[in-house]
Amino acid sequence: MSTEAKNSETLVNLTIDQRQVSVPKGTNLIEAAKLAGVEIPYYCYHPHLSVAGNCRMCQCKVGGKIGDGGKLSIACNTQVQEGMVVYTQQSAPEVAEAQRATLEFILINHPLDCTVCDQAGHCKLQDYYYDYNAEPSRFTEEKVHKVKAEPLGPEVMLDGERCILCSRCVRFCDEITETSELGMFNRGDHTVIGVVPGKELTNPLAGSVVDLCPVGALTHRRWRFNTRIWYTDQVDTICVGCSTGCNVKVATRDGEFVQIKSRLNSAVNQEWLCDEGRYGFDRFQPKTRSLTPTAAGQSINLEQALKLAQQALSGQGALAVFLSPLLTVEDIFAISQLVTKSLGGNLADVAVQIRERSLTAVEAKLVSPDYAPNAYGAQLILNPAASAKYVENFRAELEKRYLELLERVRSGGISRILLVGHEAIRDVDIDAKLREVLRASSTVVLSAKAPVGENFEALAKVVFPTRSVYEKDGTMINSSGRIQRLKTVLKASQNLLPIWEIVKKLSAEIGAPAISNNVTDDRSFFRSMVEQLSLLEGLTLAEIGDQGVSIYDRSVKASDRRDATAKNFASSAVI
């Protein structure tokens, strides 16, 4: 939401646990309490689903004084009012007692199987038990037994005994995907979540119901019992499956992806993630790769590779540079500097491979029609004249540039070729004619993939191994113009250099440095980059944070924006 929109909202003043709070009109008490630094516990509430009000954990006291007057209300369904006085479990004993009683009721039929539950370690039922009701059970009767390990679809498994009937999964399928596969069946303590007869949980966002489940009732079938969460390393990053840039939390163990969870970001993916993105992280980690530079299929050292690359790329012949859609903003900027400052080319010589696909109605709710997570970032760097305003048809422009440059290569008019990143050229485009040209030209490749078979890596004069997309830090700009941080998930070999460092060494070998000697690490390169890209001027990693920031909604005065645009146009000839 823009700054102007926020300032135009009507603010409501209220008191929560004797703290004065001002929040937008229409805010419920759960969200208002967060702004006051107070956590109100809940299970069924979600900011992007309708209010069900069936778990009753979020009770608080509205109005009156402590111990007298007022009444208990559920915070999820109570909107703020001017002058409202609210007491939570932190200040009102009756609220704390109501929450303890509610939690005891929820736990009556819950099985004591935390030791074998996949949700152990990140379960809200465990957390709230220790926070609000750490007392022995008083229930002596036989617990109600429900379905165990029942498949709801190809990816999701249900353990009915653990379900606390928050109905998040049901509301998600009704309201978000609008496919309505799930429902609540039976009555009383025999109520259970299940699949509607004649259906199966197969919608493209089905795995999101597991993320929404606050306990261990819903689990991923392919990740069940694979590891305990406390044995994993977890990183907040983004999915690179398309240009939506969904926010995710990635758990790894022993260098392998063991669980992917969506991460709440109201400006991007809310808290949803498509199954293709969630279960497809392995495709971004090469199965075969080189850890040392290669030439003619033989390993060589870095110094030899730099000299061969210098010989191949120096000269006056026409230049063509193809970039992978998985490159970061930093990667693309580094290559643009190499092209314009060291190789005597211009930005028209650079293209990004972009693939589009048709989407179903459900997929289109979240998924972008392309496989290029940083396509918009590439558009901003390769076409700086268009950066002053959002470009709606950026995919078509990138595709046109790619096909035109590819045709120039096939025609034999290009003598120097630089390919950067895995799939810099689409597999379907590598035909016999293109192989012949790549083999005959002075081709240099920077790729995370090993030179095998007849792919473009194997046809190059020299190949520099690089880090895969989840082995590096950087930024990407999604299809709506929001810049977000990509963080290192897997540790890379020390032999694998970031692209900016290869560019720095290669440009020095050519004799026309493209990157300042003051750049010594990823952060200093980022600072150097934003100083030269007017649209990102003054941007910091802290400003991007974990939620990202729209490059067009940043608080820049109109006069500053015009000045920045003028500088961008003026520098486009030499960038």
Side-chain angles (χ1 to χ4, degrees), residues 388-400:
K389 61 181 180 179
Y390 183 75
V391 181
E392 292 286 350
N393 60 337
F394 69 93
R395 295 184 182 92
E397 293 183 8
L398 289 174
E399 175 73 0
K400 179 182 178 182

Side-chain angles (χ1 to χ4, degrees), residues 43 75 81 111 147 210 297 330 463 490 507 520 535 542 546:
Y43 289 115
Q81 301 291 331
V147 295
V210 181
E330 290 84 347
V463 178
L490 300 172
S507 62
T520 57
L535 197 64
D546 290 331

Side-chain angles (χ1 to χ4, degrees), residues 225-276:
F225 311 124
N226 64 346
T227 187
R228 286 302 191 185
I229 200 67
W230 52 82
Y231 293 135
T232 66
D233 296 315
Q234 299 178 60
V235 177
D236 289 346
T237 185
I238 57 176
C239 173
V240 297
C242 74
S243 61
T244 299
C246 292
N247 288 216
V248 294
K249 182 183 289 292
V250 182
T252 60
R253 184 178 181 183
D254 298 331
E256 296 183 358
F257 300 107
V258 294
Q259 190 178 84
I260 316 296
K261 293 175 67 72
S262 56
R263 186 162 53 88
L264 181 64
N265 188 330
S266 298
V268 181
N269 59 305
Q270 299 181 338
E271 199 174 4
W272 329 135
L273 184 63
C274 73
D275 287 1
E276 181 183 13

